[in-house]
Amino acid sequence: MDPVIIVGAGPVGLTLALALARQAVPSVVLDEGPGKDDQRPARTVVLREDTAALLERLTGVPIAEAGFHWAGWRSMRRKQVTRRISFGPEESGGPADAPSGLRSQSVTDSDVPLHIAQHLLTGALRAAIVRERLVKVAVNSRLDSAEQEPSGVTAHTRGPDGTWWRGSYLVGCDGPRSTVRKLQDIRFPGRTAVERHAVAALRTELPWPGEALLHRMPPWRTSGPSAGEITARPLPDGVWRLDWLLPPGKDLVTPELLVTRVRETLAGWSGGPTPPYDLLDTGVHIVHHRLARRWRVGRVFLAGDAAHLLGALGTQGLDEGLRDADNLAWKLALAWHHGPHEALLDSYQTERRAAVSARLRAADQALPLLRGGAGLRSYVPGSTRGNDALLTDGHLGRGVLGEPGTYARSPLAPQHLEAEVAVDTLPGAQVTDVRVTAEDGSFVRLRERLGRGALLVVLVAPGTGVWERKHWVGAGIMPRLAAAVAALPHPAELLVTESYPGAAAHTVLLVRPDGHLVTALSGVRPADLYAAAEATLGGPPQDRTDDEADGTSSGSDKSDTTANTEATAGTR
């Protein structure tokens, strides 16, 4: 069968290629550039723990060591600390520099964001692809046409080695100006220049080493347009990324103005003269909010910035793009190996578009509140603190602005399981990364078993961790559960864990290849387990209709109606 054609060699396209290769699916990555990336210290990304773990699985290198895990987060308004969060062991009381009544909030290590320069991330992905025989990268290859046929996709690239490519599927990971999206005539409505930020990467010392900062309404006078909000986020080796929110309009940010802002900001934070600093990189970051009407047209898919743009109020676009790749990879792999699964492939758009749409809606609804300036709301008690909390959650990947979407309403969700029980993870949400015993008796983390194309069945069995697997693998309910797993309609791996949050002993968890919980069952229930697994696969393989073969699958057309109802607030 022909490889999957991936258009675009950014982080999302490279991640998708590696995720497919991990499931024995070959791919061709069409890179319109020379195969390397410019080093831009001011262009950074923030990843949640699960997406950072995804990249570590695919690259085989500790991505976290190239980035920086924040020690904490503080929010300030004028001269006052309004909120402070410490990442690590739980602490009591409030920070010494906080206003009276402020309490420090602590979170677990798994909630700590990873801040990393994007070129380091892309470099690790490119290095992993060099070692991967199932991935071919075609540099200096710009897509200019793509045609669908019943059995695949034909694409043409122009450049020094312009040629025709034949693929089973084609995925557009080619950014905001996606050629794939334009060739498929997919609308990309939304809002332009929702926010603008002046950005600088510099090496210096700040009064709160290792802590990220959101400073609203700083008390010092700024040159040029008012800087009503400044964000400082640490990187390794004493480097910081600073972002100044710019007022609406198209005021030119000159190098002189930016240097003045750097000096004023550092002096304001240090409480004296400007401390020494080394300016490494600068730029202007413009945030757009857009959402493609369709993410699938027959054998063609969109992912990453080609499908959505978001980033205001702390939301992270690349994090969502990586979730696109993780969601799509196992579904394409199943269809590539076992034949068309139209309901499964359609679910990619349904699940991912709904998740991104919810975050865009939340950001668009919050923008007038947070950026509307003075008014009656400024006199409402607690409104300032609530706004700061909302912004903080967005930056930290929590709450309505930042929390990753769940697939609770997915068409792949099983219905009416008599033995279903509740655990702390909701169906459709990412599972907790607990320690498990693998089939070879080794102890591993649950996330290490993801992305292999197999379903995961996890038995909660307290006490098994103190005995070798050979002593309990044939005892109690294990033989019956092993037989039920072997009879599932898709390969599955049986794992055992000592405990899982909110789960009683003998609870059985069914987990998708991308780490989302399908269901939790009370005990060994072969019929329910089989029904849940079959639903997760979208049902049995289906033959393509003539309409689906020419690139107009019924699932895509149907979900276009849903797309209209999910469009972001304020979209035009």
Side-chain angles (χ1 to χ4, degrees):
M1 192 170 178
D2 295 318
V4 174
I5 299 174
I6 299 172
V7 184
V12 175
L14 298 175
T15 296
L16 178 59
L18 288 171
L20 289 172
R22 190 178 175 92
Q23 298 170 71
V25 177
S27 63
V28 174
V29 179
L30 304 182
D31 184 356
E32 68 175 55
K36 58 182 180 181
D37 302 278
D38 296 333
Q39 296 190 11
R40 293 293 309 275
R43 190 176 186 184
T44 64
V45 296
V46 179
L47 304 175
R48 285 178 56 90
E49 192 271 342
D50 58 318
T51 46
L54 164 67
L55 294 172
E56 292 197 353
R57 288 198 306 272
L58 296 177
T59 61
V61 299
I63 295 292
E65 293 182 3
F68 192 89
H69 280 114
W70 300 338
W73 173 276
R74 67 175 61 203
S75 297
M76 295 180 65
R77 187 175 180 88
R78 297 186 176 90
K79 295 182 179 181
Q80 298 295 319
V81 176
T82 59
R83 198 176 194 206
R84 185 175 175 186
I85 298 174
S86 298
F87 298 116
E90 185 175 355
E91 301 174 0
S92 60
D97 57 353
S100 175
L102 176 69
R103 294 185 58 83
S104 174
Q105 299 181 348
S106 299
V107 297
T108 61
D109 289 339
S110 62
D111 294 322
V112 184
L114 175 68
H115 190 204
I116 184 172
Q118 183 166 316
H119 69 267
L120 295 177
L121 187 63
T122 308
L125 291 166
R126 287 190 184 276
I129 279 181
V130 169
R131 305 188 300 267
E132 180 51 67
R133 62 179 181 82
L134 289 178
V135 181
K136 173 182 174 61
V137 178
V139 299
N140 300 315
S141 298
R142 182 177 179 82
L143 181 76
D144 60 11
S145 69
E147 299 178 359
Q148 296 195 52
E149 302 169 10
S151 59
V153 181
T154 302
H156 184 266
T157 55
R158 67 174 184 264
D161 300 316
T163 187
W164 291 93
W165 302 88
R166 179 69 178 174
S168 53
Y169 298 93
L170 185 146
V171 185
C173 305
D174 49 343
R177 297 179 176 85
S178 171
T179 300
V180 174
R181 189 183 63 242
K182 294 173 183 175
L183 289 174
Q184 298 303 313
D185 196 25
I186 298 174
R187 292 182 59 203
F188 198 38
R191 300 169 57 197
T192 301
V194 176
E195 289 185 351
R196 294 193 311 144
H197 297 261
V199 182
L202 50 91
R203 184 176 285 108
T204 190
E205 291 186 9
L206 294 183
W208 39 84
E211 288 189 7
L213 168 74
L214 172 67
H215 196 166
R216 305 187 76 194
M217 301 181 66
W220 55 85
R221 176 185 292 274
T222 60
S223 299
S226 173
E229 184 176 305
I230 309 172
T231 306
R233 290 172 284 190
L235 287 160
D237 302 322
V239 176
W240 293 79
R241 170 173 167 167
L242 272 57
D243 291 60
W244 292 265
L245 177 66
L246 299 173
K250 299 181 179 180
D251 297 305
L252 183 64
V253 181
T254 64
E256 293 78 14
L257 177 61
L258 190 51
V259 168
T260 300
R261 285 202 169 181
V262 168
R263 296 179 61 84
E264 288 178 342
T265 300
L266 296 183
W269 284 339
S270 64
T274 302
Y277 70 93
D278 182 14
L279 188 60
L280 305 176
D281 190 21
T282 62
V284 175
H285 175 51
I286 301 177
V287 176
H288 309 286
H289 278 180
R290 293 189 178 277
L291 188 66
R293 290 294 193 192
R294 300 170 68 179
W295 291 27
R296 181 192 180 197
V297 179
R299 290 179 175 268
V300 176
F301 299 81
L302 300 178
D305 286 351
H308 52 78
L309 294 175
L310 71 164
L313 307 179
T315 57
Q316 301 300 325
L318 178 59
D319 198 73
E320 291 291 359
L322 296 176
R323 296 181 194 281
D324 295 344
D326 199 21
N327 184 292
L328 182 58
W330 72 273
K331 298 172 181 179
L332 280 180
L334 192 147
W336 195 90
H337 286 294
H338 303 289
H341 279 63
E342 295 307 310
L344 182 65
L345 294 177
D346 279 341
S347 72
Y348 164 68
Q349 171 176 297
T350 305
E351 292 179 344
R352 292 300 308 144
R353 194 179 187 283
V356 175
S357 177
R359 290 187 70 172
L360 279 170
R361 260 197 320 272
D364 281 345
Q365 290 169 357
L367 270 170
L369 175 68
L370 298 174
R371 308 295 191 222
L376 290 177
R377 69 172 65 91
S378 62
Y379 297 96
V380 177
S383 62
T384 298
R385 183 174 299 179
N387 293 348
D388 289 341
L390 191 65
L391 273 172
T392 295
D393 286 346
H395 281 283
L396 298 183
R398 298 155 52 180
V400 294
L401 288 181
E403 190 73 26
T406 65
Y407 306 145
R409 297 183 179 180
S410 167
L412 306 182
Q415 304 294 323
H416 312 301
L417 300 177
E418 294 183 359
E420 189 169 35
V421 294
V423 296
D424 286 358
T425 302
L426 295 174
Q430 271 278 338
V431 292
T432 302
D433 189 26
V434 296
R435 190 182 81 156
V436 296
T437 305
E439 293 183 350
D440 62 1
S442 62
F443 294 109
V444 296
R445 305 301 300 182
L446 178 56
R447 286 204 177 108
E448 293 179 24
R449 314 307 290 182
L450 299 175
R452 300 167 182 260
L455 299 172
L456 301 181
V457 178
V458 184
L459 171 66
V460 180
T464 51
V466 300
W467 300 96
E468 291 187 28
R469 185 176 183 274
K470 65 182 181 181
H471 295 306
W472 49 259
V473 68
I477 64 174
M478 278 298 293
R480 187 163 177 249
L481 179 57
V485 171
L488 292 179
H490 187 71
E493 182 179 10
L494 177 55
L495 305 168
V496 178
T497 184
E498 280 268 339
S499 63
Y500 188 89
H506 296 170
T507 298
V508 176
L509 311 175
L510 180 62
V511 183
R512 297 177 5 165
D514 58 355
H516 289 261
L517 180 67
V518 177
T519 188
L521 303 175
S522 175
V524 181
R525 305 296 180 98
D528 280 354
L529 188 62
Y530 189 96
E534 189 171 53
T536 302
L537 305 176
Q542 304 157 357
D543 294 329
R544 296 175 64 82
T545 66
D546 291 340
D547 286 341
E548 290 164 347
D550 69 7
T552 56
S553 79
S554 58
S556 296
D557 289 337
K558 174 182 65 177
S559 58
D560 195 28
T561 302
T562 305
N564 292 327
T565 64
E566 293 175 346
T568 60
T571 297
R572 55 182 182 272

